[in-house]
Amino acid sequence: MAQAPINTSTAQWIDPEAQYQFSPSSEEKLATGNQLLQLITRRALELSPTDFKITQGRRSTKQQQQAQASGASKVSKSKHTYPSSLAFDIAYLDDKGNTVTDWAGLKKYMPGVADAFRRAAEEMGVNLRWGGSWKNLRGTTDDPLNMYSSYVTNQRQLMMNELQKQGIDTSTKSPLEWEVEVNKKGDKNKKGYDPKYSGAYSKRPLHDTGHFELSPNDLSTHNWVVG
């Protein structure tokens, strides 16, 4: 017997009296995304212990090129460039509604929001990848803060390995200090570019803790009816 389609109507999933509501600005960006991703994101806001806002949905080709040139993205084509974006970038908000920009704030507010996205994806049976670890959240049991810390540690080690391949003595600075150096010298679009840093630049951690994305393959293999 065939599995019945899962209805993705907003009315089935969303509580109009939820604690947090998206601002008009977030709603505008939300509307540029894939309908299933919109539902996951709305459900995550319901489940989240703290507030967040959407900072970016769909990017034009030009915007993606600018993101790549600035180092904000590693690719020329992104989940953000689909006609209906398969990715959202969010910002975490503190108890006063201010955007979190420092590590202390991220450590406090990021795990709860990331876990809310995981729970929303679990409820809907969909894989959702998080830029804080670049792993699918669905089916994971590790704490989001641990996932993020492990990702950063691993990427910094890859970055250090690339520096060592170029004959650079990495013992003179900490990995964090080398990351700063690589950010300055590894970007070919910026002054001070040094080609021996380019390999390390491609491996550096982006700390993309506000990025959540769907896979096109995931959409084609799940029994969803969007409406």
Side-chain angles (χ1 to χ4, degrees), residues 2-8 124-125 218-226:
Q3 178 186 355
I6 301 173
N7 186 354
T8 63
M124 299 189 188
D218 195 56
L219 293 177
S220 66
T221 56
H222 282 77
N223 198 19
W224 288 90
V225 173
V226 177

Side-chain angles (χ1 to χ4, degrees), residues 6 81 90 104 211:
I6 301 173
T81 59
I90 71 163
H211 177 95

Side-chain angles (χ1 to χ4, degrees), residues 38-151:
Q38 290 187 41
L39 288 168
I40 293 172
T41 305
R42 288 188 185 280
R43 181 58 176 152
L45 187 65
E46 283 189 355
L47 296 171
S48 176
T50 57
D51 201 2
F52 62 87
K53 64 181 179 181
I54 301 173
T55 58
Q56 191 158 56
R58 186 182 185 278
R59 291 181 192 146
S60 66
T61 300
K62 183 177 180 180
Q63 287 173 323
Q64 182 59 30
Q65 290 171 345
Q66 292 171 339
Q68 186 182 21
S70 69
S73 177
K74 294 183 178 181
V75 295
S76 58
K77 292 184 179 180
S78 162
K79 299 295 191 301
H80 285 282
T81 59
Y82 278 73
S84 292
S85 179
L86 293 181
F88 285 136
D89 292 337
I90 71 163
Y92 305 92
L93 303 178
D94 65 18
D95 297 335
K96 296 181 180 179
N98 298 317
T99 301
V100 172
T101 58
D102 60 0
W103 169 240
L106 276 179
K107 188 176 180 181
K108 181 177 180 180
Y109 296 100
M110 174 184 70
V113 177
D115 194 61
F117 271 92
R118 171 166 57 191
R119 291 166 61 194
E122 290 275 7
E123 283 185 6
M124 299 189 188
V126 175
N127 293 326
L128 185 72
R129 196 161 71 147
W130 176 42
S133 67
W134 293 108
K135 294 181 180 179
N136 285 326
L137 288 173
R138 181 184 173 205
T140 61
T141 56
D142 197 7
D143 178 84
L145 189 60
N146 292 337
M147 294 173 66
Y148 170 71
S149 297
S150 296
Y151 167 71

